[in-house]
Amino acid sequence: MRRRSIKLLVVCLALTGSIPFEVRSQQRPDVEVATPEGLLAIGKWMLTAQGVPSDWLGEIYEGKNLREPINVIIVDQGASSAGDAKERLLAAAARAGYPIRFGHSTGYQGSIAGRLYAQLPQGRDDAFSNDVFEVNNNHGRVFGPHEFEQGYLFIAAFSREEVDPFRDPGHRYGSFNRARDDFTQRLDRSTDFRVSRFVDLGNALIGDPKLTTGDHDGIAVVVRVGP
């Protein structure tokens, strides 16, 4: 009975927000990670709800299955809490021309320091995007934040989709690099978030007979913001 009461208490705390659903603290030794100097272990891929690397909804690109890489890292050194870090990021993304927009697949996860974080934004079909889903757009999902000695750490996966209503499928992969660069450069120009460095996550798939990361070069752009 006592164990059942404890479980009920945990569920109640989660429902009231005292325990965030987006943090899954189980260790995932099967997740491929990279550890850039001065940062934490970062999962190389955006993961589905089942914990496997996302494949851009089954897109076949140049005869191979796409795999979606993590290509942006954000460090907030000025936030007072995880909630504050989220609010600062959402506000900055909107100022940079990437507000929350509907019309995108959801339910993704990212790994930071062995913990899985559900995507931001958390709406039913939301993503950060520079345009509506009916036209060509760059869009992405952010995962975190994870608190560490430098502040709060987020990771993100951004991609560009090309839209043609007369083609089947109407929405197709366009680029990872273009979306990554546009998002981070707009943050740098329009907000206090600044591009600080570039790190190699080793997640460019070259020469694989079945999988591809398209134009991704294995590099993640690191963006930082202070107090």
Side-chain angles (χ1 to χ4, degrees), residues 11-13 15 22-23 30 32 52 58 62 88 105 107 125 133 147 152-154 163 165 186 191 211:
V11 171
C12 291
L13 288 171
L15 290 174
E22 64 266 23
V23 179
D30 55 325
E32 292 183 72
V52 299
E62 296 183 348
R88 284 157 58 94
S105 58
D125 58 352
F133 75 94
E147 186 175 9
Y152 291 90
L153 176 66
F154 297 90
V163 179
R186 287 197 189 193
T191 76
L211 301 173

Side-chain angles (χ1 to χ4, degrees), residues 60-223:
I60 302 298
Y61 180 74
E62 296 183 348
K64 299 180 181 181
N65 293 102
L66 269 174
R67 180 166 284 189
E68 297 193 62
I70 295 298
N71 54 10
V72 176
I73 299 170
I74 301 169
V75 179
D76 188 333
Q77 297 176 289
S80 59
S81 65
D84 185 40
K86 291 180 185 179
E87 291 178 4
R88 284 157 58 94
L89 176 60
L90 266 63
R95 288 198 302 272
Y98 278 78
I100 297 172
R101 300 182 192 269
F102 71 91
H104 299 278
S105 58
T106 56
Y108 299 102
Q109 309 175 86
S111 175
I112 307 174
R115 301 173 70 177
L116 294 181
Y117 290 85
Q119 74 168 70
L120 296 172
Q122 295 178 323
R124 182 177 61 86
D125 58 352
D126 291 344
F128 296 103
S129 181
N130 69 339
D131 215 328
V132 295
F133 75 94
E134 294 94 343
V135 300
N136 297 347
N137 67 86
N138 302 325
H139 65 274
R141 295 95 177 169
V142 178
F143 311 98
H146 183 97
E147 186 175 9
F148 72 132
E149 63 273 10
Q150 297 180 40
Y152 291 90
L153 176 66
F154 297 90
I155 60 175
F158 276 79
S159 65
R160 179 171 182 78
E161 66 176 334
E162 305 290 344
V163 179
D164 183 348
F166 301 104
R167 184 177 59 189
D168 185 26
H171 294 245
R172 293 186 181 180
Y173 160 79
S175 171
F176 291 121
N177 287 353
R178 286 181 63 186
R180 173 199 66 190
D181 294 346
D182 186 70
F183 175 68
T184 54
Q185 289 168 16
R186 287 197 189 193
L187 281 177
D188 190 89
R189 290 195 305 266
S190 304
T191 76
D192 293 331
F193 288 70
R194 296 285 184 261
V195 173
S196 65
R197 58 189 281 217
F198 306 89
V199 297
D200 187 355
L201 295 185
N203 56 358
L205 297 176
I206 301 173
D208 190 289
K210 297 181 179 180
L211 301 173
T212 181
T213 46
D215 67 342
H216 179 58
D217 53 14
I219 300 299
V221 179
V222 180
V223 181

